[in-house]
Amino acid sequence: MGGKPGMELHNNTGHPRRWAILGVLVISLLVVVLDNTILNVALRTLADPVHGLGATQGQLEWAINSYTLVFAGLLFTFGVLGDRVGRKRFLMVGLALFGLASLLSAYSQGPGQLIAARALMGVGGAAIMPVTLSIISNVFDPRERGRAIGVWAGAVGLAVAIGPILGGALLEHFWWGSVFLINVPVVIAGVVLVALLVPESRDPRPGRIDMLGVLLSVVGLVSLSYGIIDGGEHGFGRPLAWGSILVGIAVLAWFVQHERSSDHPSLDVRLFKVPHFAAPVAIVGLVFFAAMGSMFFGSFYLQLVRGYSPLQTGLLFLPFAGAQLIFAPRSAAMVRRYGGRAVATVGLLLTVVSLAAFVFIGASTPIWIVLLVFLIQGTGMANIMPPATESIMSALPREKAGVGSAVSNTVRQVAGALGVAILGSVLSAVYRSDIGDALTGLPAQAHDAANESISGAYAAAGQLGPAAPALISAANDAFVTAMHWAAALSAVIAALGIIVVLRWMPGREAVVVAPAPVAEPELAGTV
């Protein structure tokens, strides 16, 4: 990228191998994001007691959320630790840990082992994500840094596109563990390339580690999510569900208070007093809450109600992923022309329309309509993230770009986890309520399995002989009704984002703000 004498980039201060290094960092990011998109098409198989682990819907939600919650809780602290001990070293350790946890996940003997292995994968993912951004900031000239971060972010769209297809292809030909085992060779290649290409770097003034803050955030999020999932699985009449929810809320409130008074917070909550920062972060949270929950029930709908194979399901998600790949790179030009507020509003409107459309989708809806809904949703989300990210970054001084990215990533992960938990709970509760009458007279074991989830109903139907078609039909009807309620709630949540955009999102006239409260030395290590 060096130019002729007199050109802007003639005195480029970036690393000579910076673009090759970026390629290695993209591989590191791909393995983290790819795993979650692959898991979506494996849910039905994991619920199968013969070909999978016989996991309940609650256990499947925890298989997703154990990774996400650990990842989000450790993201900031691992950013500080990577800056302290060396970013290259920390990236290699994170990749190795992620590969080991993938191996343990592939050979799990039960849902509990899988949930624990996925939590360990979250530790590895939290070590990988923040140091990749720190390394980009270290090896790229400031004039190229925005482009490099754009390529880094585009890797997420690539993972969304290829994850479901790769996962479906693996499940067509191999056992369920292959969706995790595929990570191992990628991790090995990543470790070797990092060792060969990536230079070591450290922050000369790393921030201290906020151990109490990390502990409070993880305990609070896990307790809150556990209560929601337990309530959805067993009903909210149990004291355990409400007790866990209240403990989670109390611990998170303690976390916020602690972060406000700490001189080395893992999350500087003062950032959220800046509207141009807080509004887009809220939008990211609301959108991913709705989107992750809808993808959770969408996978079951396609594989069970519609009868598609895992590979076919992955291909059916292509319009969603393809729309993001096509429209996300173009949204920056739209922001420059029309302003972030206008682009984000249109993106949110498309997302709300697509989620609300699921309320009218039934067991026999033509599949092209479902594909169109996925296309609209992908287009909408592709036009939300760039203006939201631009607003987040413009609200911070340049040296705090890593802080903005870390906050955005954490909110996205936590919101996605809670979306799966809450919308999954709505799905379970409505399903159980609707299918109750159809289970009268069934053997106790079949009754309990069918009452648990649609996956359990399909498994029970295999043992019922002539009574199986009636049970399958009732389960499909109950699930579709439950999906309608969950979709309606997700549309309402996404619609709240429109209010946030119109009230607080900066438009074309936005001025870059560098608020004093977030420019303190203690935050330097949270990149």
Side-chain angles (χ1 to χ4, degrees), residues 32 89 163 176 399 489:
V32 175
R89 182 183 305 171
W176 64 266
E399 62 271 20
L489 178 58

Side-chain angles (χ1 to χ4, degrees), residues 26 52 67 84 91 94 104 144-145 147 176 205 239-240 270 276 299 333 337 348 373 414 426 445 491 498 507:
V26 165
Y67 170 88
R84 182 184 295 274
L91 178 57
L104 295 174
E144 292 182 321
R145 196 174 296 156
R147 180 181 171 196
W176 64 266
R205 293 187 302 169
L240 178 61
R270 293 170 295 180
H276 287 186
S299 179
R337 182 172 182 180
L348 280 162
V373 170
V414 172
V426 171
Q445 187 173 1
I498 299 175

Side-chain angles (χ1 to χ4, degrees), residues 435-443 447 467 471:
I435 201 174
D437 293 341
L439 304 182
T440 304
L442 290 182
H447 180 284
L471 177 59

